[in-house]
Amino acid sequence: MGLLSDPNRRKAITSLTLSVLPDVVCYLAGIAWFMGLAFEPFTLRTYMSENAMGSTMVEERFPSGERALATAREFAAHKKKVGGMPVDWLVKTMRAQGLEVFTQSFSRNLPFPDESKERFVVRGTNVYGILRAPRAPRTEALVLSAPCSPGNSNNQAVGLLLGLAQYFRSQIYWAKDIIFLVNEHDLIGVQAWLEGYHHTNITGMGYTPLQGRAGSIQAALSLELNSDVVTSLDLVLEGLNGQLPNLDLANLFHAFCQKLGILCTIQGKLQRSDWDTVEGYTHSAQTMLLMVLKQASGRPWGEHGLFLRYHIEAASIRGVNSFRQYKTDATSIGRLFEGMVRKLNNLLERLHQSYFFYLMPSLTRFVSIGYYMPAFGLLTTILLLRALDLWVHLGTPTPVTEDGVGEGESPSSPGLLSVLTPVVISHLTGVALYTLPVLSQEMAVEHFPVSETEAVVLTAIAIYTAGLALPHNTHRLISGEGTEQGWRVLKLVALLYLAVLLGCTALINFSLGFILAVTLVPAAACVTPHVPKALSAVAMVLLSPGCTILYCVFLFQELQEVPVSLAEGWMLFLSVISQGILDHALYGSLVYPLLALLVYPCWLLFWNILFWK
Amino acid sequence: MAALSRKWDPLFVLVLGSLVFSCKGDVLKTSNDRTESISATKIEESSPQAADLGDLRQSDEAESNEDRKAFTPPPPNDQFQEEMVIRPLYSGDIYASFQFRTQWDTDFLHDGKKVSHYRLFPKSLGQVLSKFSVRELHISFTQGYWRTMQWGQPFIPSPPGAELWVWFHHTVTDVDGNWKELTNVLSGIFCASLNFIDSTNTVEPSASFKPLGLGNATDHRFLRYATLPREIVCTENLTPWKKLLPCGSKAGLAVLMKSEKLFHSSFHSQAVHIRPVCKDWQCTSTAWELRQTLNVVFDLYTSGQGKKEWSLFKMFSRTLTEACPLASSSKIYVDVTDNPGGELFDLSPSSPLISTAVVLGDRRTYSVYDLTKKETFGQLRSLNLLLRWKGESDDMLRPPLHAERYVSGFGLQKGEIHTCLYNSHPYRAYPVLLLDSLPWYLRLYVHTLTVTSKTRENKPSYIHYQPSKDRLRPHLLEMLVQLPPHSVTEVTVQFERALLKWTEYTPDPNHGFYIGSSVISALVPSIVAMDTNSTRDRPLFSSFFPTKEESSYFMRVYTEPLLVNLPTPDFSMPYNVICLTCTVVAVGYGSFYNLLTRTFQVDEPSAPLAKRLANIIRRLRGVPLL
């Protein structure tokens, strides 16, 4: 640390770090780097890394797409008759196909009603059939799942699943057991099944233990189909907490789409070939930004998302029926699945050869972790430069010449308490934000004319806003007048805290880390008690984590080409908050606790500095 | 009896007739009357004495048959039997089990003499037995997992992969050395990777594996048990197995063993069991018994093309035309218990011979086809059994005992092994012996070992635990657990996954590591004893106290093996590191070596002649030199 402790050397670096120029350059370079990732010449082409899936193209022979659709209609009729999942019919059908069939019932009380899906107390049954591979010792398995959704949706998926089961049963080449899972209540059902299969209980789900197992699951594919014919298939990769499956799974899907001539999309966007035009670039930038936003949300964007926690490579494939001319029938989709499952069946090892951390500006292009991390690195450099600057300032004796008055009393010791107090208070506010909304919903419903869900969301927003008022008053109560040194130390701590926090977040979920860095870093870098109060307070609030979510909601709608008005956007924002809290309770998504317990208190520290007296 | 002798060759009557008639005439008579009844013990799991009685009868028949066919008469006591059992399973699949039994009358262990004369017994195995002083040897190769819930119980259970257990003679001093050599030799004989058996996967079970043959050795120092769950069984293992048969695959039941058909199945298991047995009921002298078994389950769906129809030709793409000429008995049994009135399936040609036996605690009825009889083959001179399904019965079975095992939890640090033991007997509790052998790289937390049944703790009455030593020996856990009636008993133990040295990973580390099956051995209350109807046709005084033989039977259940992922480094990283460091070292070392070894001198080159001359002139003139 000679560099930092030697006063002469310090002076040299002070001259560099004191200026704002490197900060601005870093920030702009970071953003530019990130946006450059969507430019095709800067990205890599995807390629199949896994040897076992590469060269051995097989002929797909799945013949019975029509029959699968007939099964789907039968399933729909039974579903209507029962008014939910036709468990008995499914068991009978699967058993007739020669599978070992088991059921699992589960129940889950949501912490507060889910208004978007209209459920509060969930009870359901999963049905799964295991195709035992001949001469295999039940050590490995693949999962094909389809949800039994309410209403008229996803019947074709179940039909195709059963059709595939029947066809697969008569084949001899299976080396891994194949589990055909039809789950009720979409993700909750999958969560119950996975917890049952792995005999864990992380979310407080009530379920009956599974009777049949098939060893360690190597990969899973989830199928969502709503119509007899589709125009394209959409691949969904983003899973819980921003986890992604191995890139080879995406490559496999793309390879079979190419082979069978099926239109395939990612984020609902087709690939364009004109990368050198502005439209082409915008298109891939939109695709990539959509992926970043979805990943940052930390939600499972399909049933596959929950498998990833268990180290099971999984992806959802969603049939899209738009008004294009080009149609694909169920037989082709069946063949696509047959091909993919056969390739996965050929795997000798778990998928591990290709990337786990990537962004996809299109289905054939990817940005690996080595390419996107510098963008984030440039942003965090600002925090480190600022911290360095503060450290240098704190080390040099107070320049008495400047103001004459200087800081009379003990300039070198700001006191541990004056730093610790805001830190503790901010975090307590964070804890309140994390716990109170769900806990106090009953009270809120009693006293205000709102539903439980609204109560939770509004309490969260209320605590969030109340936090703005609290901490900058309290520190004075405890340790009297704040000193010039005091805010410097506090800011130094806060800067390092934020850098570590964002760094760790970005390692796990790059998108979330990056989005937070884009808004938090400028606020953190600029804030001092000496800037104009009103203007900077507005800027700080606009750059706070809560507003970041709001911008993301609008941006997401814009990118999906369904722009919303301000009022609609606000409603969406509210539902996003309630969904975030629900995702945390139901599936263990970590975005809500991360924001409430760490990011928000960290931002409050900077807010505190702004109002330092 | 008179009819019998008239049918037979006069030569036979002259040579052996008197002997046969004097000692075992009753046996011949019953077989001639075509209402043969075989004892329960003859089919399976026989107690040595009873089996031996049966053997003796068989041996006489063997002599007579072979004499009739004018082969050179064997020395009076070596003999060979072959049989096949076909059992249509509830699931619609079909189970074919072959058994070949060779008995060899020699006693080299007691006398220590060298045996050099081999007839029916394979020489390769005989030499192995004598060289390594083996008392008993059991080896099985299995591809697939026996689905107890659909198929019921197998005649001889075996775990997926290879399993080997050997009792050595008590005179052996270096058991481990013998074991190591033996596994290597067997590896050569069976073309299998048995040489991968070493101290890290060998255990000495204290209670689970008792000798099945003569002698009640209890000192488990002479027992070695190992499994290779990863072993893949294929044609190259079948061929050497077939070569051990006296007739090879040229004649008899073994002609059915075409590998492309045997491996087009749901389950394939082949085994060799060698043990000493008594020769007579007083057990005055002993003999070696070699039992070769092969079990196959054919899948209705994948091979039947949806048609529920079976025939020998469909299963094996062969029909039978003759018995093995060396065999003293050659029979096919078809289980027709569930088909008393022919409503479940049709069997053609039908056989008038019916036998009943108590097999695995259940009274079964079999149609018997005797291949040594000409009329079995009919006019076409070939036997092609045909089985046509009529009814549907595909419910899950409730076997009295079954087990499953799985790893719970996620992540690569810890995990928990769950072993669930199901006792589906409605009112009887019985104890089972659970044997678990886990590799050292699963660090067991033994304090987390729990046994629960019906949500209450179930304290095992006997626990034998041998902790592992890193890279030396596996964990061994044996427990005697009482299973309450109609219950699930769950045995759980937590473990931590060890980080291996980088050379210890297999070439495919991301596939995971196999953990062998646990073995559950139990005396299971038999279904026959539960059957209240069975008392009807027996005298009342015989049925008050259940007799031992009928009330329970020995059963061994293997759980599925486990595939456990260990924390695996990215093996491309060492590659990069090696490349980088090599480059750095090459460049750095080269320049450093250069710098260190080279000596630098200021070299003053002698000036050219013209310059020297010019300088002389300049010095003379007093002008500065060049």
Side-chain angles (χ1 to χ4, degrees):
Chain A
M1 291 298 281
L3 188 71
L4 295 180
S5 51
D6 180 15
N8 293 327
R9 287 188 189 164
R10 261 190 210 184
K11 261 183 211 135
I13 44 175
T14 314
S15 58
L16 181 73
T17 54
L18 265 182
S19 64
V20 192
L21 189 67
D23 294 0
V24 175
V25 169
C26 275
Y27 190 78
L28 293 179
I31 302 286
W33 186 296
F34 177 74
M35 292 316 290
L37 294 178
F39 191 47
E40 204 175 299
F42 294 164
T43 57
L44 293 172
R45 246 195 117 69
T46 53
Y47 54 93
M48 189 76 83
S49 295
E50 176 60 58
N51 224 357
M53 298 200 305
S55 53
T56 52
M57 275 287 181
V58 287
E59 196 181 330
E60 294 77 37
R61 296 217 177 94
F62 176 69
S64 45
E66 284 310 309
R67 206 206 270 170
L69 292 178
T71 318
R73 282 189 283 276
E74 203 181 331
F75 170 73
H78 281 275
K79 191 161 92 173
K80 205 175 237 173
K81 204 163 71 186
V82 183
M85 178 119 151
V87 175
D88 295 334
W89 181 82
L90 275 171
V91 168
K92 210 177 89 218
T93 314
M94 283 189 178
R95 197 161 278 164
Q97 289 171 347
L99 308 182
E100 280 180 38
V101 191
F102 305 93
T103 56
Q104 181 207 26
S105 48
F106 58 91
S107 66
R108 179 79 168 95
N109 293 350
L110 271 58
F112 56 90
D114 182 356
E115 290 197 340
S116 64
K117 292 201 172 108
E118 291 172 359
R119 56 190 182 189
F120 182 44
V121 178
V122 178
R123 258 173 237 294
T125 312
N126 293 325
V127 178
Y128 65 103
I130 305 179
L131 193 172
R132 297 289 182 195
R135 298 184 313 288
R138 297 192 176 180
T139 47
E140 290 172 284
L142 302 173
V143 173
L144 269 179
S145 78
C148 170
S149 320
N152 219 0
S153 59
N154 260 331
N155 294 333
Q156 282 82 358
V158 178
L160 189 55
L161 190 84
L162 294 173
L164 284 171
Q166 182 155 33
Y167 174 71
F168 286 178
R169 182 64 180 84
S170 56
Q171 305 307 314
I172 190 74
Y173 41 67
W174 301 114
K176 300 171 169 56
D177 291 1
I178 302 175
I179 302 174
F180 296 90
L181 168 68
V182 180
N183 56 291
E184 205 175 356
H185 299 299
D186 47 62
L187 288 169
I188 297 183
V190 175
Q191 177 77 12
W193 189 81
L194 280 168
E195 289 193 4
Y197 196 92
H198 294 94
H199 203 285
T200 55
N201 202 337
I202 32 183
T203 55
M205 179 88 68
Y207 58 81
T208 55
L210 295 193
Q211 293 296 316
R213 284 186 174 77
S216 83
I217 301 173
Q218 305 286 308
L221 290 176
S222 174
L223 174 62
E224 287 171 42
L225 266 188
N226 282 321
S227 54
D228 289 359
V229 287
V230 299
T231 47
S232 62
L233 289 177
D234 189 39
L235 178 70
V236 188
L237 297 171
E238 301 83 6
L240 186 70
N241 290 326
Q243 261 187 295
L244 299 171
N246 196 282
L247 186 58
D248 269 343
L249 205 59
N251 297 339
L252 183 67
F253 170 74
H254 184 246
F256 272 102
C257 281
Q258 294 283 303
K259 189 184 174 195
L260 297 168
I262 301 174
L263 280 183
C264 51
T265 59
I266 188 162
Q267 321 298 351
K269 307 243 184 225
L270 273 175
Q271 183 159 13
R272 288 174 68 131
S273 51
D274 53 341
W275 57 269
D276 43 356
T277 61
V278 178
E279 290 83 34
Y281 170 74
T282 329
H283 187 81
S284 57
Q286 278 179 346
T287 316
M288 190 182 75
L289 277 176
L290 269 174
M291 178 159 188
V292 166
L293 287 174
K294 281 184 173 178
Q295 199 190 4
S297 75
R299 317 188 49 185
W301 285 85
E303 288 193 341
H304 71 282
L306 297 172
F307 284 88
L308 296 171
R309 182 210 294 273
Y310 299 91
H311 196 7
I312 300 166
E313 303 314 316
S316 289
I317 293 167
R318 198 167 280 165
V320 179
N321 195 11
S322 61
F323 300 100
R324 281 200 192 90
Q325 286 299 310
Y326 191 84
K327 302 278 187 194
T328 305
D329 61 344
T331 309
S332 308
I333 303 170
R335 289 197 174 155
L336 175 97
F337 273 89
E338 183 202 348
M340 288 182 74
V341 174
R342 280 191 73 174
K343 281 293 187 77
L344 292 170
N345 177 57
N346 286 349
L347 280 183
L348 297 175
E349 301 181 64
R350 278 172 186 280
L351 283 175
H352 70 285
Q353 298 277 12
S354 196
Y355 295 86
F356 284 97
F357 295 93
Y358 53 87
L359 296 176
M360 295 190 92
S362 71
L363 249 183
T364 53
R365 295 271 158 183
F366 76 103
V367 182
S368 79
I369 184 166
Y371 286 77
Y372 64 60
M373 264 316 195
F376 175 78
L378 284 168
L379 293 189
T380 36
T381 313
I382 301 169
L383 297 179
L384 295 179
L385 283 178
R386 288 294 101 205
L388 195 63
D389 180 30
L390 281 171
W391 174 256
V392 170
H393 269 285
L394 285 169
T396 46
T398 13
V400 196
T401 47
E402 273 210 349
D403 276 347
V405 190
E407 282 76 37
E409 79 287 338
S410 64
S412 55
S413 62
L416 187 66
L417 211 58
S418 69
V419 177
L420 208 58
T421 315
V423 172
V424 170
I425 288 176
S426 313
H427 280 90
L428 287 179
T429 322
V431 171
L433 179 60
Y434 174 64
T435 51
L436 285 185
V438 177
L439 285 181
S440 65
Q441 50 167 320
E442 281 173 25
M443 207 175 66
V445 170
E446 265 178 41
H447 296 286
F448 300 99
V450 286
S451 71
E452 279 100 338
T453 319
E454 284 168 335
V456 170
V457 175
L458 294 178
T459 319
I461 294 175
I463 295 173
Y464 187 87
T465 337
L468 303 186
L470 255 175
H472 71 276
N473 289 322
T474 45
H475 79 269
R476 269 184 310 171
L477 294 176
I478 294 170
S479 63
E481 193 75 7
T483 61
E484 187 72 12
Q485 290 283 47
W487 76 260
R488 290 226 167 105
V489 173
L490 182 61
K491 189 175 173 185
L492 176 64
V493 169
L495 280 174
L496 293 177
Y497 182 27
L498 185 63
V500 170
L501 186 62
L502 291 180
C504 293
T505 311
L507 279 183
I508 299 163
N509 184 348
F510 164 77
S511 304
L512 184 59
F514 186 78
I515 288 178
L516 287 175
V518 166
T519 51
L520 284 179
V521 165
C526 300
V527 70
T528 63
H530 308 305
V531 287
K533 285 274 181 316
L535 194 66
S536 13
V538 171
M540 278 289 286
V541 169
L542 287 181
L543 291 175
S544 78
C547 293
T548 311
I549 300 177
L550 189 63
Y551 308 145
C552 287
V553 170
F554 281 106
L555 182 61
F556 184 70
Q557 294 299 326
E558 197 64 40
L559 290 172
Q560 284 214 315
E561 290 155 12
V562 271
V564 286
S565 70
L566 222 55
E568 285 168 335
W570 178 252
M571 291 316 290
L572 263 178
F573 171 67
L574 296 186
S575 84
V576 161
I577 292 174
S578 74
Q579 287 299 318
I581 300 174
L582 269 182
D583 283 348
H584 171 58
L586 289 180
Y587 320 119
S589 157
L590 291 174
V591 174
Y592 172 57
L594 177 84
L595 289 179
L597 292 174
L598 297 171
V599 177
Y600 174 64
C602 188
W603 178 84
L604 275 185
L605 290 179
F606 292 107
W607 181 256
N608 209 0
I609 292 161
L610 182 66
F611 292 98
W612 192 270
K613 291 208 177 86
Chain B
M1 209 163 299
L4 177 79
S5 56
R6 251 182 273 123
K7 266 207 271 178
W8 283 4
D9 203 308
L11 178 74
F12 160 68
V13 180
L14 281 176
V15 177
L16 285 163
S18 58
L19 178 89
V20 169
F21 291 151
S22 59
C23 57
K24 293 292 167 197
D26 51 338
V27 178
L28 294 171
K29 185 178 175 188
T30 49
S31 69
N32 198 32
D33 289 345
R34 298 188 167 192
T35 53
E36 180 182 283
S37 92
I38 52 169
S39 66
T41 49
K42 223 163 116 187
I43 292 190
E44 229 6 81
E45 300 291 343
S46 52
S47 70
Q49 282 82 2
D52 208 60
L53 279 179
D55 296 340
L56 211 65
R57 298 175 204 162
Q58 295 291 336
S59 78
D60 293 334
E61 282 182 354
E63 289 156 24
S64 48
N65 285 333
E66 278 157 24
D67 280 4
R68 188 161 55 98
K69 291 182 178 174
F71 271 86
T72 48
N77 288 318
D78 272 20
Q79 54 150 313
F80 175 67
Q81 287 166 270
E82 55 179 11
E83 87 185 24
M84 171 165 76
V85 184
I86 295 177
R87 189 162 93 193
L89 299 167
Y90 288 96
S91 58
D93 300 336
I94 199 148
Y95 172 33
S97 171
F98 294 86
Q99 288 218 21
F100 302 91
R101 183 179 189 270
T102 313
Q103 192 178 319
W104 183 29
D105 290 347
T106 182
D107 206 2
F108 53 78
L109 276 185
H110 286 288
D111 308 334
K113 66 183 176 192
K114 290 278 176 205
V115 180
S116 53
H117 182 68
Y118 292 87
R119 219 185 128 262
L120 297 179
F121 199 90
K123 189 175 178 183
S124 54
L125 285 181
Q127 284 176 330
V128 168
L129 292 183
S130 64
K131 174 145 198 299
F132 300 107
S133 311
V134 173
R135 258 202 97 77
E136 216 171 272
L137 184 146
H138 302 269
I139 182 167
S140 73
F141 299 98
T142 307
Q143 186 72 23
Y145 181 71
W146 184 268
R147 305 171 195 169
T148 316
M149 291 297 277
Q150 278 125 52
W151 297 342
Q153 294 156 35
F155 293 123
I156 294 188
S158 55
E163 184 200 42
L164 174 66
W165 55 287
V166 175
W167 277 93
F168 290 96
H169 203 254
H170 58 80
T171 51
V172 177
T173 48
D174 180 16
V175 180
D176 286 321
N178 270 18
W179 168 249
K180 185 150 186 55
E181 272 189 65
L182 175 68
T183 51
N184 279 288
V185 169
L186 289 175
S187 170
I189 292 178
F190 291 104
C191 291
S193 333
L194 296 173
N195 51 331
F196 283 109
I197 292 177
D198 55 10
S199 69
T200 59
N201 50 19
T202 303
V203 289
E204 301 166 26
S206 65
S208 290
F209 288 90
K210 288 291 163 210
L212 297 181
L214 276 179
N216 44 1
T218 48
D219 192 351
H220 62 264
R221 281 181 300 140
F222 298 105
L223 169 65
R224 290 293 179 276
Y225 173 82
T227 52
L228 294 174
R230 218 189 162 160
E231 180 71 13
I232 289 171
V233 186
C234 204
T235 325
E236 77 265 23
N237 307 108
L238 184 67
T239 313
W241 185 90
K242 280 196 289 197
K243 281 187 182 161
L244 300 176
L245 295 170
C247 292
S249 51
K250 300 281 191 297
L253 290 173
V255 292
L256 298 178
M257 291 176 188
K258 293 251 296 178
S259 42
E260 77 259 37
K261 281 292 179 183
L262 287 185
F263 290 101
H264 194 279
S265 57
S266 295
F267 176 84
H268 172 99
S269 169
Q270 58 188 68
V272 169
H273 301 275
I274 303 172
R275 60 179 179 180
V277 290
C278 287
K279 256 196 294 197
D280 48 28
W281 63 277
Q282 284 169 322
C283 211
T284 48
S285 58
T286 58
W288 285 96
E289 183 201 70
L290 164 69
R291 244 181 223 245
Q292 287 179 258
T293 63
L294 189 134
N295 296 303
V296 204
V297 176
F298 292 99
D299 190 351
L300 172 78
Y301 285 86
T302 52
S303 349
Q305 278 91 38
K307 270 184 247 160
K308 293 189 144 193
E309 211 177 276
W310 285 103
S311 65
L312 281 188
F313 189 78
K314 253 189 175 163
M315 285 193 276
F316 302 105
S317 71
R318 280 277 194 288
T319 55
L320 286 169
T321 50
E322 54 167 352
C324 170
L326 297 172
S328 58
S329 105
S330 176
K331 282 176 185 146
I332 297 180
Y333 295 86
V334 181
D335 193 332
V336 291
T337 318
D338 306 317
N339 192 32
E343 65 266 14
L344 202 59
F345 54 80
D346 271 342
L347 183 64
S348 68
S350 58
S351 166
L353 280 176
I354 297 288
S355 84
T356 55
V358 176
V359 184
L360 298 169
D362 195 5
R363 197 178 299 279
R364 312 296 297 180
T365 315
Y366 294 93
S367 275
V368 186
Y369 297 82
D370 192 344
L371 299 187
T372 50
K373 295 213 166 52
K374 240 180 204 163
E375 54 270 29
T376 311
F377 297 104
Q379 295 190 327
L380 294 170
R381 303 195 57 76
S382 84
L383 177 64
N384 182 20
L385 283 174
L386 191 73
L387 200 148
R388 199 175 283 112
W389 282 92
K390 288 195 286 192
E392 287 271 341
S393 71
D394 51 1
D395 334 328
M396 283 279 196
L397 283 180
R398 277 281 151 203
L401 171 68
H402 78 104
E404 61 166 356
R405 191 157 70 138
Y406 59 92
V407 179
S408 75
F410 57 92
L412 288 177
Q413 197 199 349
K414 283 183 184 175
E416 194 170 36
I417 295 180
H418 289 246
T419 312
C420 300
L421 311 170
Y422 294 83
N423 174 7
S424 7
H425 200 282
Y427 57 86
R428 283 275 298 273
Y430 53 87
V432 297
L433 258 175
L434 174 70
L435 167 80
D436 242 332
S437 154
L438 300 164
W440 63 266
Y441 39 78
L442 299 190
R443 305 248 154 83
L444 285 191
Y445 293 151
V446 188
H447 69 278
T448 60
L449 177 72
T450 55
V451 185
T452 43
S453 21
K454 296 186 169 170
T455 67
R456 252 181 306 171
E457 199 197 332
N458 183 346
K459 207 169 157 47
S461 49
Y462 166 77
I463 292 191
H464 172 71
Y465 174 67
Q466 191 186 36
S468 71
K469 279 185 188 159
D470 277 8
R471 300 175 178 85
L472 276 183
R473 76 171 187 214
H475 302 270
L476 169 68
L477 181 62
E478 273 185 295
M479 283 190 289
L480 187 67
V481 186
Q482 183 83 9
L483 302 187
H486 200 71
S487 70
V488 188
T489 304
E490 198 166 12
V491 181
T492 62
V493 63
Q494 288 179 14
F495 64 87
E496 192 183 80
R497 299 156 208 246
L499 190 61
L500 302 187
K501 290 179 182 165
W502 71 286
T503 47
E504 285 167 346
Y505 285 95
T506 48
D508 52 350
N510 285 289
H511 179 67
F513 289 75
Y514 282 89
I515 315 291
S517 313
S518 354
V519 190
I520 294 135
S521 321
L523 277 176
V524 179
S526 76
I527 306 164
V528 177
M530 278 167 65
D531 190 7
T532 45
N533 293 339
S534 67
T535 48
R536 274 193 217 144
D537 48 8
R538 278 192 292 171
L540 284 177
F541 60 82
S542 73
S543 60
F544 185 65
F545 293 109
T547 51
K548 190 68 190 164
E549 288 74 36
E550 299 239 318
S551 70
S552 59
Y553 62 100
F554 181 78
M555 186 173 168
R556 189 165 278 156
V557 175
Y558 292 92
T559 63
E560 49 271 77
L562 301 175
L563 187 62
V564 175
N565 277 84
L566 295 186
T568 311
D570 175 10
F571 282 102
S572 61
M573 201 253 328
Y575 172 74
N576 290 341
V577 170
I578 289 167
C579 290
L580 262 172
T581 43
C582 285
T583 315
V584 169
V585 165
V587 174
Y589 176 78
S591 26
F592 260 99
Y593 185 71
N594 209 347
L595 278 173
L596 289 172
T597 52
R598 186 174 286 179
T599 49
F600 293 93
Q601 291 171 342
V602 183
D603 188 17
E604 286 181 359
S606 51
L609 187 65
K611 199 175 173 183
R612 267 190 276 173
L613 286 175
N615 277 342
I616 291 167
I617 296 165
R618 277 167 175 259
R619 197 178 290 145
L620 290 175
R621 287 170 57 196
V623 187
L625 302 181
L626 274 174

